[in-house]
Amino acid sequence: PASCTPNLPVTGVVGPAALLIEGEGVLPIQNDYRPDPMIPALTNYPVVPDPEGYEINRFQLTNTSIPGTTLTLGRQRIALDDQRFVGPVGWRQNEQTFDALRMVNKSVRNLAIDLTYFNKVNRLFGEDSPQSDYEGDSLLLNLGYQAEKAGRFTVFGYLLDFENIAAVPAAVRDSTSTYGLRWAGDAPAGKIKLGWSLALAEQTDHADNPLDFDLGYQSGEVSATYRQFTVGYDLEIMKGNGMKEFTTPLA
């Protein structure tokens, strides 16, 4: 590994409210790698986007006063479904977090309503990078219903509005509206457990995006598990039009 990441969380709970503060430090073990493709340094090395950095990873206040509802305000981790569209990018040393207000309501049996407003994405490249943060008023809506035997059905809409960053043209071009459906589950078949996941989505330009596009996304996965062994097949199609490809900047 190029670096190691110690995390130090501090929590406090008072009645229905909880405060979480978590610091994060990325300490390079050795420096023979290029940590940021946007910075013209160490260009003779391949890019490994794990730059040295020390920051507040999470600083969030959570409240459960409303029955069946959890409200979270502040810098937080968000992971939706299989994290293909929204997640913390947990395999990198510097986790991606969101400055957000999030509401998760589960007052209806088997139904989860997940609504998030955020105005900043603290990306994995660190504070010294020109592409460290994406800012703008964005919304995430994810409705999930867990059927008794048929699996989980999800409807989602992600409206991303990112401000222009002069040195990072991808920022405003990632302002998109993405709407989609997902079905995932598993079921026993004798001694084998079968699993599946199907997803469809449509993405268009949104807000100040200078491009004009309407792009599709499809994915499918099937698997079979016997004891500790799993075999599967996965196909994902992300379309493009020659100028713009289907993007998942929060994945």
Side-chain angles (χ1 to χ4, degrees):
S3 56
C4 63
T5 308
N7 282 15
L8 180 61
V10 178
T11 60
V13 179
V14 179
L19 176 67
L20 170 64
I21 304 174
E22 180 182 74
E24 176 185 75
V26 180
L27 178 65
I29 297 173
Q30 52 86 17
N31 294 311
D32 294 336
Y33 69 100
R34 186 182 180 189
D36 192 339
M38 299 299 297
I39 296 178
L42 300 171
T43 56
N44 56 320
Y45 292 111
V47 174
V48 181
D50 293 324
E52 180 176 6
Y54 310 93
E55 61 185 44
I56 296 296
N57 190 51
R58 289 188 290 169
F59 195 137
Q60 65 183 53
L61 179 65
T62 303
N63 188 282
T64 57
S65 298
I66 303 173
T69 302
T70 300
L71 297 173
T72 306
L73 175 65
R75 183 160 297 181
Q76 57 191 279
R77 175 189 299 129
I78 299 177
L80 300 179
D81 297 323
D82 60 352
Q83 304 183 35
R84 188 62 190 90
F85 290 91
V86 182
V89 198
W91 60 88
R92 299 257 59 102
Q93 300 294 320
N94 181 24
E95 187 176 48
Q96 177 172 268
T97 57
F98 300 80
D99 293 354
L101 173 61
R102 183 182 185 188
M103 181 202 75
V104 179
N105 181 275
K106 297 182 178 180
S107 57
V108 178
R109 185 170 179 266
N110 294 336
L111 177 66
I113 302 172
D114 197 324
L115 178 63
T116 298
Y117 162 80
F118 69 88
N119 60 9
K120 185 177 181 182
V121 186
N122 307 289
R123 307 181 76 218
L124 57 91
F125 298 98
E127 292 298 324
D128 294 332
S129 171
Q131 59 177 339
S132 63
D133 302 321
Y134 277 8
E135 298 183 353
D137 299 314
S138 299
L139 293 173
L140 309 174
L141 175 61
N142 186 286
L143 306 178
Y145 181 79
Q146 181 65 53
E148 295 294 338
K149 296 182 179 181
R152 183 177 180 84
F153 298 87
T154 304
V155 179
F156 57 86
Y158 305 140
L159 306 180
L160 309 183
D161 181 1
F162 297 131
E163 296 177 1
N164 184 52
I165 303 175
V168 188
V172 70
R173 294 179 183 180
D174 281 337
S175 294
T176 55
S177 299
T178 304
Y179 297 94
L181 306 167
R182 183 173 185 266
W183 177 36
D186 56 65
K191 295 182 179 181
I192 297 175
K193 183 175 73 172
L194 301 177
W196 66 86
S197 172
L198 299 171
L200 295 172
E202 196 77 11
Q203 185 174 92
T204 61
D205 53 285
H206 180 64
D208 293 330
N209 195 322
L211 304 178
D212 182 12
F213 54 89
D214 187 347
L215 306 172
Y217 170 93
Q218 301 94 39
S219 72
E221 179 180 338
V222 292
S223 64
T225 301
Y226 176 72
R227 295 184 179 179
Q228 70 269 38
F229 303 102
T230 298
V231 60
Y233 177 77
D234 177 24
L235 175 66
E236 182 179 59
I237 300 172
M238 305 173 73
K239 295 185 177 181
N241 62 6
M243 295 183 61
K244 183 71 169 70
E245 74 284 2
F246 191 104
T247 56
T248 58
L250 306 182

